[in-house]
């Protein structure tokens, strides 16, 4: 979005105005976003997290799977489980898209969001989608979420504060937890994220995710510690 806007600005001749109008964007807001991006980039450079040319760190800026993963880890725990389309009320044929938040609050996706236009209905209780949201507001007695993005479960597992592995029979009778999210057909173990989401997967995959999560945490802590030492020197 920013790259397209910057290219339109360089083109001149009303291209910027046309780009904003065509994509329903605000030029002042884009200017603000550009300023924030430059500010964050300078802060990361000062802390030694982006050494050298910053453009070399933008190779995945158009890889939307990576972008979604970064958003998921950055916004967690502002994540919900989509329940699918539900009736607006008794005797009303209108439907709305609903989700359950981390605190087990039931909310509706705001009608202006593009998510209600998706066919995200489930075929079973265990077939569901996860999404992140930026804003949770209450209008009268109803909770609404805005700025919703569908995300994969894998980056959420890496961002969780706790991750427990348990045998499946030990948790089949546990109440008050979310339905199992199947990442594989192999009935092996349950990986429980923050005592909330449960993921069924082969034991080898669960071990790999636990090791990867630990290594990412250690690498990040090492990077932060060494950047602090370099700043003091």
């Amino acid at each position: 979005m920013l790259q397209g806007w910057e290219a339109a600005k360089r083109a001149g001749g009303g291209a910027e105005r046309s780009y904003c109008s065509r994509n329903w964007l605000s030029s002042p807001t884009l200017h603000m976003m550009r300023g924030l991006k430059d500010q964050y980039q300078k802060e990361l450079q000062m802390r030694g997290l982006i050494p050298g040319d910053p453009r070399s760190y933008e190779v995945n800026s158009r890889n939307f799977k990576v972008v979604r993963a970064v958003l998921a880890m950055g916004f967690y725990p502002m994540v919900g489980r989509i329940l699918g389309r539900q009736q607006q009320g008794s005797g009303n044929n209108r439907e709305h898209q609903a989700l359950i938040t981390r605190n087990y609050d039931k909310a509706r996706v705001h009608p202006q969001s593009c998510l209600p236009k998706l066919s995200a209905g489930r075929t079973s209780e265990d077939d569901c989608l996860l999404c992140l949201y930026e804003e949770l507001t209450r209008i009268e007695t109803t909770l609404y979420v805005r700025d919703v993005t569908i995300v994969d479960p894998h980056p959420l597992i890496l961002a969780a504060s706790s991750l427990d592995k348990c045998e499946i029979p030990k948790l089949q009778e546990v109440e008050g937890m979310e339905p199992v999210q199947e990442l594989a057909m192999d009935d092996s173990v349950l990986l429980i994220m923050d005592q909330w989401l449960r993921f069924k997967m082969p034991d080898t995959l669960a071990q790999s995710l636990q090791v990867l999560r630990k290594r990412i945490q250690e690498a990040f802590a090492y990077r932060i510690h060494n950047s602090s030492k370099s700043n003091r020197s």
Side-chain angles (χ1 to χ4, degrees), residues 84-98 106-111 116 139-144:
R85 297 186 180 277
Q86 300 188 353
Q87 292 293 330
Q88 191 85 8
S90 59
N92 195 329
N93 292 327
R94 295 186 61 185
E95 295 181 337
H96 64 268
Q97 196 84 310
K106 190 172 182 180
R108 299 179 183 179
V109 178
H110 197 275
I139 302 178
E140 296 181 349
T141 60
T142 304
L143 283 174
Y144 288 95

Side-chain angles (χ1 to χ4, degrees), residues 166-174 190:
C166 299
E167 297 290 335
I168 293 179
K170 295 181 181 180
L171 289 174
Q172 284 181 339
E173 303 300 326
V174 174
L190 288 180

Side-chain angles (χ1 to χ4, degrees), residues 102-119:
R102 174 67 179 85
N103 296 325
Y104 294 97
D105 293 321
K106 190 172 182 180
R108 299 179 183 179
V109 178
H110 197 275
Q112 292 182 352
S113 172
C114 63
L115 189 61
K117 302 177 180 63
L118 300 177
S119 57

